[in-house]
Amino acid sequence: MKYPMLFAVGLSLMLFLGGCAFEENGGGAISGGFVQRLVAEAADDSIAVDSAGTTVVEQQPADTGADYLAKLQSLANGDTTGRWPVIDQPLPLPGAILPHKRIVAFYGNLYSTRMGILGELPPDEMLAKLDGEVANWNAADPATEAIPALHYIAVTAQENAGRDGKYRARMPFSQIDSVLRIAEKRNALVFLDIQVGFSNLQAEIPRLDTFLRMPHVHLGIDPEFSMKDDLPPGKRIGHFTADDINFASTHLAGLVQAHNLPPKVLVVHRFTQGMVRDYKQIKLHPEVQLVIDMDGWGAPALKKNTYHTYVFREPIQFTGFKFFYKNDLIPPPHRMMTLEEVLALTPRPIYIQYQ
């Protein structure tokens, strides 16, 4: 089985230079809901107990709306541009993970030692290392509990077309079952990640509903390998449109409603401007918490620039940040960013991934 090769360091440099020339678009309201009302009425506790018959009350989380907003403001980390926190968003249904806990995930595939730490180490050794990273985050930010997750690539982009010409391979359900068993040892969340190749989310996500109906299983989608032209994965960086992302979130919202589940987390990877199109048209739901995960590798200065240019400047809901145990060490100064450096970002990432 063959997997997409990592892009060269030269591409990262090109992206860095391109990012430096990026013109600021300004913040925009994302289609959403009722946190905006909380801001307008400050910390009016009556909102949390309003019995006027609106859907706001029916969809309140266990804590008050004011608590939720206070946590969002903390994640905004003093932003003065008006982008963060994103106030035009719905309050989540009860049982939402974000923003009260920080998810710390190990990424990879059990068939490959090259795709990430999840498949590189034997399960017990991998879990012990994950324990250490969770402990590090809890020490660095005691105010936000860090919890473990396994982020498994359930559909992998391929450099060969395959029988159906879709340039993607679907992992057998038995392998997903193995990941669930490993995660159970730590009561960890599980994310199923999709690299569609020449397929699409409409064809790939519903196949995983058996797993997505489980309360602790969430979803990741990777625009890098969403190829909408005649070039196969790895030849060009792909993209998702707002319509693509809206399909994913609407599908998850339907599962939550149909099966009385806690809100799902949807992670969208990003490290270029073009990977996410029409971001202002992305719709938010009380049933889904959407994370834009800064997925680029390189030196600290490059990663900070990428985060600022493509994540900070186009606010959607929550943000994530990815560490690469190997590739972050390739360019000088040959080091990963520290946790303190990541916590100093605006906004603070609430989803952390290690590859």
Side-chain angles (χ1 to χ4, degrees), residues 3-15 114 157 195 222-227 231-239 271-272 275 295-298 302 324 327-328 330-331 355:
Y3 296 91
M5 298 182 65
L6 293 167
F7 290 95
V9 176
L11 177 58
S12 292
L13 179 60
M14 180 177 66
L15 294 174
R114 298 186 294 111
Q195 302 172 353
D222 197 341
E224 180 180 359
F225 302 109
S226 172
M227 315 312 296
L231 291 177
K235 301 297 184 181
R236 177 183 295 168
I237 297 173
H239 72 273
F271 60 88
T272 72
M275 286 173 72
D295 192 32
W297 59 270
L302 170 60
F324 291 79
N327 284 50
D328 283 349
I330 292 175
Q355 179 168 336

Side-chain angles (χ1 to χ4, degrees), residues 131-144:
D131 290 342
E133 298 294 5
V134 170
N136 290 339
W137 278 100
N138 278 320
D141 184 12
T144 305

Side-chain angles (χ1 to χ4, degrees), residues 176-311:
I176 299 177
D177 287 336
S178 295
V179 175
L180 291 171
R181 287 193 294 270
I182 296 170
E184 189 176 7
K185 295 181 178 181
R186 293 298 190 275
N187 194 29
L189 304 176
V190 172
F191 286 80
L192 301 181
D193 204 85
I194 296 176
Q195 302 172 353
V196 297
F198 280 3
S199 184
N200 55 53
L201 295 175
Q202 289 85 346
E204 302 303 329
I205 294 177
R207 290 187 64 257
L208 301 173
D209 280 356
T210 297
F211 304 102
L212 293 171
R213 285 193 290 264
M214 300 176 182
H216 68 299
V217 177
H218 303 270
L219 182 65
I221 57 176
D222 197 341
E224 180 180 359
F225 302 109
S226 172
M227 315 312 296
K228 298 181 183 294
D229 54 27
D230 59 351
L231 291 177
K235 301 297 184 181
R236 177 183 295 168
I237 297 173
H239 72 273
F240 283 139
T241 65
D243 286 344
D244 294 321
I245 297 170
N246 287 340
F247 170 81
S249 60
T250 300
H251 186 83
L252 290 176
L255 291 176
V256 170
Q257 290 287 0
H259 302 282
N260 194 29
L261 301 171
K264 294 293 183 182
V265 179
L266 172 60
V267 173
V268 182
H269 305 289
R270 187 178 195 182
F271 60 88
T272 72
Q273 177 65 29
M275 286 173 72
V276 175
R277 308 281 177 91
D278 308 317
Y279 85 97
K280 292 184 180 181
Q281 304 306 314
I282 294 172
K283 296 179 173 62
L284 301 179
H285 305 269
E287 301 88 355
V288 179
Q289 301 193 285
L290 204 154
V291 174
I292 302 299
D293 176 40
M294 202 298 285
D295 192 32
W297 59 270
L302 170 60
K303 295 182 71 113
K304 290 177 184 178
N305 180 77
T306 302
Y307 186 86
H308 180 78
T309 304
Y310 308 125
V311 178

Side-chain angles (χ1 to χ4, degrees), residues 27-108:
I30 305 301
S31 177
F34 306 111
V35 174
Q36 184 175 1
R37 177 178 162 209
L38 292 176
V39 174
E41 301 186 22
D44 184 355
D45 291 338
S46 66
I47 294 173
V49 295
D50 184 6
S51 58
T54 67
T55 56
V56 179
V57 174
E58 296 172 359
Q59 296 180 345
Q60 284 280 357
D63 57 353
T64 69
D67 290 337
Y68 183 75
L69 178 59
K71 189 64 176 178
L72 292 182
Q73 289 175 327
S74 176
L75 287 180
N77 205 16
D79 178 48
T80 59
T81 67
R83 291 181 174 86
W84 301 93
V86 175
I87 59 173
D88 187 17
Q89 63 170 286
L91 292 168
L93 296 183
I97 297 170
L98 309 177
H100 303 289
K101 298 182 187 297
R102 175 173 284 109
I103 299 169
V104 178
F106 271 13
Y107 172 95

